[in-house]
Amino acid sequence: MDRWKTLIVLGIAQFLMVLDASVMNVSISQLVEDFDTEVTAIQAVITLYTLVMAAFMLTGGKLGDMFGRRRMFGVGMVVYGVGSGLTAVSPTVWVLALGWSVIEGLGAALVLPALAALVAGSYTGRARATAYGVIGGVAGAGIAVGPLLGGWVTTYLTWRLVFAGEVVLVVLVLFLMRWIPPERAPEHRVRLDVTGAALSAAGLALIVLAVLQSGTWGWVTPRNPPFTVLGFSPTLFLVALGGALLWLFCTHERRREAQGREPLVSLDLFGNRPLRAGLATLFNQNTILLGTFFVIPLYLQVVQGLDAFETGLRLLPVSVTMLAASMCGTALLRIASPRAIVRVGLLVLLASSLWLITAIGPELKGASFAGAMALMGLGMGMLASQLGNTVQSSVHEDDRSEAGGLQYTAQNLGSSLGTALVGAVLIGALAGSVTGRIESDPRISEAVAGQTAIRVESGISFVPADQVATALAGQPEVSPEEADAIVEHYEDAQIGGLKAAILTCAGITAASFLFTGSLPSGSPGGGKGGGKGGGRGAVRSRRSDGAADGPGQHG
């Protein structure tokens, strides 16, 4: 039991990092009421949190290298706790943004890269695979349990209690930090690459902002953007600007390394093929996971009319099977390689997505829906049991904080893209389907069909059918028969849009197989794929499970 004490501390921290984001998502309506604001203001707060984390994750990883991962983990937890406390008592939406989006986001950017490196530094071999499986499973459980916990607390008590409870958990983690083994002091102190940090933060922030806002702004044709560029939506222009800043970042890092100075991130790491494959698959995993978790609550709450707590209950099968499968990572490694396990996990995930498409309908098919969600959790758990370990075991000990920063940056980008891409597919399919159905229905006059098409073009929302019926009832030019037909088509289009969105997730899952070729094909630490490549860690050491491991490790 003693050797797993470190994992208990890190697992609690990981659960905290993912819990409040999912809680915030199901508490939007209550937050709007409490702060007497609009939904867009709360969505901006949520977007800012993701932006801060994505922008500063690489910098957080580098600070762990400079001052020690254990120390930065503790500092990050303190910062996170301060943000949680401020969020719990926030009197205005601006204080909410400062406490949750900015302070908690900065704390998470310090904690997560250090957490990934501390797992690798505390365990070796199969114990490390188990530890990363647990961390991945806990993260998935937090995403699934968050709506359940948040829905119950928000419905029956207040959302503020969740953040007050986080402060208590932060204090507990800080008290238990003595269970985390001490590290060797950094061999040499280096200066932070401030220019590189600024370029990476700005580039990543612009890309994440553009992707997250694409549903509101539109990708090409402007919907409701704050400004336009040459008559087009700013989305692709911001993506291009972010990409240009990241190109400048890479150029700056290459020049800095050529001068013998310490970069923010060694670009040589990207020559490490197992690391590259692990990061790409993590990106895809989070794109699929967050895309699916964007669609399913809409189906359950908007179409089926369930409240936040009931929605959380329907998501429990994912949480249970994901945690169970991720904890079986070590057992799976006895019979298969990480590459094989990930590929089987993707097959399971693909099958669950196709099953889920058949389970989505006007009436909730309880058993079929629960089975599809449980199978999805199984596939996600198999991925989670291997990918974190693959990323960290493919690099030298000295590169683990940088690898951790890259790992969570990839996950953040995947999460943002998953929500934006799947959301865009959903709305696009909804708009196209409802317009086509209405225009081909003889019960609806050409005038009403034309007016509807114009309104759909200007922007359509995924709302309960009752709201559509109420809105149509207030329009005298629409007869009751036409209103009933439009509502009927809108309901059918909702189901079609949801299925198209899940099919998109299935397509991303199928495409993910293309990125698995360089994953380790042998056991961790000694297989053909482990730790080899062109990365800086691969040059320092060809072993991937502890050639230069620090003190206090558990095998």
Side-chain angles (χ1 to χ4, degrees):
M1 178 62 185
D2 284 349
R3 74 173 187 164
W4 298 116
K5 285 183 176 180
T6 300
L7 187 59
I8 292 173
V9 180
L10 299 178
I12 295 173
Q14 176 68 77
F15 185 76
L16 274 177
M17 296 300 109
V18 299
L19 174 66
D20 60 359
S22 53
V23 168
M24 192 67 80
N25 281 322
V26 300
S27 304
I28 289 177
S29 58
Q30 190 61 49
L31 290 164
V32 169
E33 181 179 335
D34 286 358
F35 292 113
D36 190 24
T37 186
E38 298 178 352
V39 172
T40 53
I42 302 303
Q43 289 174 332
V45 171
I46 295 173
T47 299
L48 181 60
Y49 177 71
T50 304
L51 283 177
V52 171
M53 278 204 301
F56 293 99
M57 200 68 73
L58 294 179
T59 304
K62 192 62 180 182
L63 290 174
D65 283 339
M66 294 171 58
F67 300 105
R69 295 126 187 190
R70 188 175 184 273
R71 178 181 296 176
M72 283 299 101
F73 177 82
V75 170
M77 289 303 300
V78 171
V79 173
Y80 194 87
V82 171
S84 296
L86 184 59
T87 302
V89 299
S90 53
T92 66
V93 71
W94 297 109
V95 178
L96 176 74
L98 175 63
W100 189 65
S101 303
V102 177
I103 299 180
E104 281 197 44
L106 289 172
L110 291 173
V111 168
L112 289 171
L115 186 153
L118 285 170
V119 173
S122 300
Y123 300 96
T124 61
R126 297 194 184 279
R128 181 185 293 169
T130 300
Y132 274 116
V134 171
I135 292 295
V138 166
I143 293 172
V145 170
L148 177 63
L149 177 62
W152 185 83
V153 173
T154 300
T155 302
Y156 299 107
L157 299 169
T158 171
W159 58 270
R160 296 179 186 271
L161 282 180
V162 175
F163 294 94
E166 286 188 353
V167 176
V168 176
L169 288 178
V170 166
V171 172
L172 176 63
V173 168
L174 293 172
F175 177 75
L176 297 178
M177 272 192 63
R178 64 181 186 274
W179 288 356
I180 300 177
E183 301 176 282
R184 289 198 304 259
E187 295 180 3
H188 60 281
R189 182 64 57 86
V190 296
R191 290 187 178 182
L192 178 66
D193 176 11
V194 177
T195 302
L199 286 172
S200 67
L204 289 169
L206 283 174
I207 291 173
V208 171
L209 174 64
V211 169
L212 286 175
Q213 295 299 109
S214 61
T216 303
W217 297 350
W219 283 98
V220 179
T221 303
R223 287 183 183 170
N224 188 29
F227 61 92
T228 59
V229 180
L230 303 175
F232 296 99
S233 167
T235 300
L236 292 180
F237 291 93
L238 288 182
V239 171
L241 180 58
L245 289 175
L246 291 180
W247 178 81
L248 289 175
F249 165 72
C250 293
T251 302
H252 169 76
E253 296 297 285
R254 288 291 188 197
R255 183 184 304 118
R256 193 175 175 90
E257 282 195 282
Q259 295 170 348
R261 302 162 67 192
E262 187 74 15
L264 183 71
V265 174
S266 174
L267 300 183
D268 287 341
L269 286 173
F270 290 102
N272 185 323
R273 295 177 63 192
L275 172 65
R276 210 166 55 227
L279 292 175
T281 311
L282 273 170
F283 174 87
N284 292 332
Q285 177 195 11
N286 272 52
T287 302
I288 299 162
L289 181 62
L290 271 295
T292 303
F293 271 81
F294 174 80
V295 171
I296 296 305
L298 286 177
Y299 172 61
L300 295 175
Q301 294 182 339
V302 176
V303 177
Q304 298 299 329
L306 304 183
D307 61 28
F309 180 62
E310 292 169 326
T311 299
L313 285 176
R314 298 288 183 177
L315 295 176
L316 265 183
V318 179
S319 178
V320 173
T321 56
M322 182 172 183
L323 184 59
S326 60
M327 294 181 70
C328 294
T330 304
L332 293 173
L333 285 173
R334 295 192 179 98
I335 58 175
S337 68
R339 182 195 300 173
I341 295 169
V342 168
R343 286 177 170 174
V344 172
L346 288 172
L347 279 175
V348 172
L349 196 53
L350 180 60
S352 70
S353 297
L354 297 177
W355 185 359
L356 189 57
I357 290 174
T358 67
I360 290 178
E363 301 297 327
L364 181 60
K365 303 172 185 177
S368 182
F369 182 84
M373 297 303 287
L375 189 63
M376 178 172 293
L378 182 63
M380 284 292 180
M382 294 179 73
L383 299 184
S385 72
Q386 305 301 319
L387 294 178
N389 185 40
T390 295
V391 168
Q392 288 292 325
S393 294
S394 65
V395 299
H396 187 273
E397 180 190 6
D398 293 343
D399 295 323
R400 282 180 186 150
S401 288
E402 290 182 32
L406 291 171
Q407 174 181 336
Y408 283 102
T409 298
Q411 290 182 226
N412 262 299
L413 291 174
S415 301
S416 303
L417 181 63
T419 302
L421 176 62
V422 174
V425 169
L426 173 62
I427 295 300
L430 174 66
S433 178
V434 75
T435 301
R437 290 170 184 270
I438 289 173
E439 289 178 345
S440 62
D441 191 337
R443 294 175 294 174
I444 302 173
S445 67
E446 289 187 11
V448 171
Q451 291 174 4
T452 303
I454 292 172
R455 289 175 181 172
V456 168
E457 273 188 31
S458 64
I460 187 171
S461 299
F462 199 94
V463 297
D466 291 345
Q467 287 188 24
V468 177
T470 302
L472 291 171
Q475 299 180 20
E477 68 273 15
V478 181
S479 69
E481 293 77 15
E482 289 176 318
D484 289 342
I486 291 173
V487 170
E488 176 187 326
H489 292 315
Y490 182 80
E491 289 176 328
D492 291 340
Q494 279 185 317
I495 299 300
L498 289 165
K499 291 187 175 185
I502 296 297
L503 185 61
T504 301
C505 293
I508 297 171
T509 304
S512 298
F513 282 93
L514 300 174
F515 299 92
T516 61
S518 294
L519 292 174
S521 57
S523 60
K528 290 191 299 184
K532 295 186 180 181
R536 182 173 57 175
V539 172
R540 287 177 181 161
S541 173
R542 291 294 179 185
R543 288 181 57 191
S544 63
D545 73 339
D549 288 326
Q553 291 183 318
H554 305 287

mmCIF file of all heavy atoms in Angstrom, residues 125 332 366 390 443:
data_model
loop_
_atom_site.group_PDB
_atom_site.id
_atom_site.type_symbol
_atom_site.label_atom_id
_atom_site.label_comp_id
_atom_site.label_asym_id
_atom_site.label_seq_id
_atom_site.Cartn_x
_atom_site.Cartn_y
_atom_site.Cartn_z
ATOM 1 N N GLY A 125 8.470 0.627 -14.932
ATOM 2 C CA GLY A 125 7.958 -0.619 -15.501
ATOM 3 C C GLY A 125 6.450 -0.718 -15.473
ATOM 4 O O GLY A 125 5.724 0.218 -15.781
ATOM 5 N N LEU A 332 -3.263 -5.949 -19.056
ATOM 6 C CA LEU A 332 -3.315 -6.052 -20.512
ATOM 7 C C LEU A 332 -1.920 -6.137 -21.121
ATOM 8 O O LEU A 332 -1.712 -6.810 -22.139
ATOM 9 C CB LEU A 332 -4.053 -4.837 -21.082
ATOM 10 C CG LEU A 332 -5.550 -4.728 -20.768
ATOM 11 C CD1 LEU A 332 -6.108 -3.399 -21.251
ATOM 12 C CD2 LEU A 332 -6.318 -5.892 -21.403
ATOM 13 N N GLY A 366 -33.267 3.138 -23.118
ATOM 14 C CA GLY A 366 -32.449 3.096 -21.912
ATOM 15 C C GLY A 366 -31.348 2.053 -21.922
ATOM 16 O O GLY A 366 -30.166 2.366 -21.725
ATOM 17 N N THR A 390 3.030 5.943 -22.367
ATOM 18 C CA THR A 390 3.797 5.964 -23.609
ATOM 19 C C THR A 390 4.540 7.285 -23.780
ATOM 20 O O THR A 390 5.730 7.318 -24.115
ATOM 21 C CB THR A 390 2.867 5.737 -24.814
ATOM 22 O OG1 THR A 390 2.308 4.423 -24.729
ATOM 23 C CG2 THR A 390 3.619 5.878 -26.127
ATOM 24 N N ARG A 443 -47.317 20.796 -47.026
ATOM 25 C CA ARG A 443 -48.184 21.408 -46.013
ATOM 26 C C ARG A 443 -47.743 22.841 -45.671
ATOM 27 O O ARG A 443 -48.492 23.588 -45.044
ATOM 28 C CB ARG A 443 -48.170 20.570 -44.728
ATOM 29 C CG ARG A 443 -48.771 19.189 -44.858
ATOM 30 C CD ARG A 443 -48.593 18.401 -43.572
ATOM 31 N NE ARG A 443 -47.168 18.117 -43.298
ATOM 32 C CZ ARG A 443 -46.734 17.542 -42.175
ATOM 33 N NH1 ARG A 443 -47.602 17.223 -41.214
ATOM 34 N NH2 ARG A 443 -45.446 17.310 -42.021
#
